[in-house]
Structure formats: C-alpha cells, structure tokens
Amino acid sequence: MERLDKLLAGTGRWSRKEARELLRQGRVAVEGRPALRGEEKVPEGASVTVDGLPVSTERTVYLMLHKPAGVLSATEDRRQATVLDLLPEHLRKVGLFPVGRLDKDTEGLLLLTNDGGLAHRLLSPKKHVDKVYYAALDGPVTDGDVRAFAEGMTLEDGEPCLPAGLEPAGEDGCLVTLREGKFHQVKRMLALRGRTVLYLKRLSMGPLTLDGALAPGEWRPLNGAELEELEKLR
Ligand code: URA
C-alpha cells in the first residue's frame, strides 16, 4: 500500500505539490473511482489514472537531464555534488542512476533512470546505440583524423575502439559519434590525433536528443514519444 500523492510524485512526472493539485481538480481515479485525497492508500497493482490515462504504478522513472559542468555522474559522493543533487527531494529516493558517465567537466544529455534493463541495453555495444558529442578543440580536424576515426583507433593503453564518426563542425569544432563508452574516450581519441578538447557536450544518445529548452542543470521526464523509441530497443 502506498499513499496516492507519493505514488504520483514517484513517477517523476509531477511534484508532490502538482500531484495534490491534480487530485484537487478531480483528475485522478483509482480503480475507476475519482480520488480526491492524497493520503488515500493505494494497493499494489491497482489501476491509477490521470485524466483517464493510466499511470504506471511500477515505479520506473526516466528523466532527461542537461548535465552542467562541475557535477559528478554518480549517485553519491562525500565531497562533490552529483547529478542527483540537481533533483528535488522526492526524486532522490527512487533509486535513480545515470545511464553511462559523463566526465565532471562534460555537459549535455544524461538519462537518469531506475530501469536497470534499459540502462544495460543503451550501453551495450551490441545494440549499436550511437552517442553524439560536440567538441570544441584547439585547432581544426583533418581528413586524416576523419579516416583514423572511421577505421577504428587503438587507445594509448592498447585498447581497440570500434569505428567512430568524426565530422568538422564550425571553426575548430567537431561532432564525434561513438557506439561505446570507454573512459574519457572522446578526449583520448582526439589526443591521439594531437588535439586537445577544450569543451565537450553530449548531444544525443540513440533516439534521445538533448531538449534545447533545458538549460544546464535542468531536467524533465521523458515524454511518450521518447519512451516509445526506447521501448524499441528491447
Ligand atoms: N568522452 C569523454 O572524453 N568524456 C566524456 O564525458 C564522454 C565521452
């Protein structure tokens, strides 16, 4: 049994305050009966709807975060701020973790979820989920760099990389497309070509593209279309 307001907030789609407002407006029903009280206890597996549409009571949460520079892609750290510190309290207790890591100084798209199966599929090199990054560099990329990326590079410690995309973007910038996520991979691949990354931002991950309306540090739940696209990876 769980309190209705907590259950609604636990989906990540509404804050507790917004959930109370939905209840007050009579938009929530439990087992087809209108529910007005947040304190109402909901049995496990009961049907809960908002505006007639079912709300998943399995508490899987999917959030798109525009990770700012300066925070760790981790769930906790003794000294430094993590991406979970950017979320309101009610979302810090539902077991969310970042799907793949971005370096502390990297910005951009980070998916936070408590759906371990989905995280595994998104990160598996076998699923060929492309991740696209924009990098600002200390100089332009060359045709030779593009060819080296396409052929598949070997990192300085001998680790081989899958073929990757490299495309010049503006003056001294480039777009890098990876289908794996080795430690500091973009920076290390570019370093092997003699380039230094001055700024790095992840723009997309498989079907998810960073929402341009989110400023660094802002987040939103994934929308229905995004969830449908992720469902196709199963
Ligand atoms: N590659 C990097 O070097 N850093 C990141 O944060 C992501 C990919």
Side-chain angles (χ1 to χ4, degrees):
M1 295 278 241
E2 184 168 24
R3 277 177 65 119
L4 185 53
D5 51 1
K6 211 168 156 211
L7 181 149
L8 290 168
T11 64
R13 293 171 63 185
W14 305 280
S15 66
R16 277 243 202 165
K17 192 167 158 219
E18 287 164 346
R20 280 198 293 273
E21 192 56 23
L22 290 175
L23 288 156
R24 200 186 59 74
Q25 292 168 354
R27 294 164 63 185
V28 183
V30 176
E31 295 294 351
R33 277 176 289 101
L36 296 167
R37 293 169 45 247
E39 313 87 71
E40 178 171 334
K41 290 280 204 301
V42 183
E44 207 168 309
S47 116
V48 178
T49 55
V50 172
D51 296 334
L53 297 172
V55 171
S56 170
T57 50
E58 278 175 40
R59 310 228 329 198
T60 41
V61 177
Y62 305 88
L63 306 179
M64 174 186 290
L65 170 72
H66 186 165
K67 180 193 171 296
V71 298
L72 298 181
S73 297
T75 50
E76 55 183 16
D77 190 87
R78 276 165 177 238
R79 281 183 210 130
Q80 301 188 59
T82 74
V83 286
L84 285 198
D85 294 323
L86 298 166
L87 302 178
E89 178 135 14
H90 71 279
L91 286 173
R92 281 189 228 141
K93 297 180 195 144
V94 294
L96 295 175
F97 57 88
V99 179
R101 282 166 185 258
L102 294 177
D103 297 337
K104 187 175 170 189
D105 60 355
T106 301
E107 294 186 358
L109 175 67
L110 194 63
L111 173 65
L112 299 171
T113 186
N114 50 7
D115 179 345
L118 174 77
H120 183 74
R121 288 188 297 281
L122 274 171
L123 297 175
S124 164
K126 287 193 206 123
K127 291 280 181 185
H128 298 304
V129 173
D130 285 348
K131 289 135 210 142
V132 181
Y133 297 84
Y134 167 76
L137 307 171
D138 60 345
V141 291
T142 64
D143 292 346
D145 298 333
V146 174
R147 276 197 300 277
F149 269 58
E151 281 164 13
M153 295 172 71
T154 303
L155 294 176
E156 76 295 340
D157 60 0
E159 209 182 338
C161 297
L162 292 170
L166 179 66
E167 221 182 286
E171 204 184 325
D172 296 350
C174 65
L175 293 175
V176 176
T177 305
L178 301 182
R179 51 175 63 162
E180 53 190 344
K182 301 185 194 301
F183 185 61
H184 293 334
Q185 188 168 351
V186 171
K187 292 172 188 164
R188 287 161 80 199
M189 288 174 81
L190 285 160
L192 283 172
R193 301 298 304 176
R195 290 267 80 97
T196 299
V197 172
L198 305 175
Y199 167 82
L200 188 60
K201 178 177 185 177
R202 181 154 64 195
L203 305 177
S204 68
M205 186 171 188
L208 297 180
T209 299
L210 181 63
D211 184 335
L214 294 177
E218 290 183 345
W219 61 274
R220 66 158 171 79
L222 293 191
N223 61 36
E226 289 162 339
L227 288 170
E228 256 174 51
E229 287 299 319
L230 289 183
E231 200 50 42
K232 291 185 191 157
L233 293 171
R234 278 184 203 276

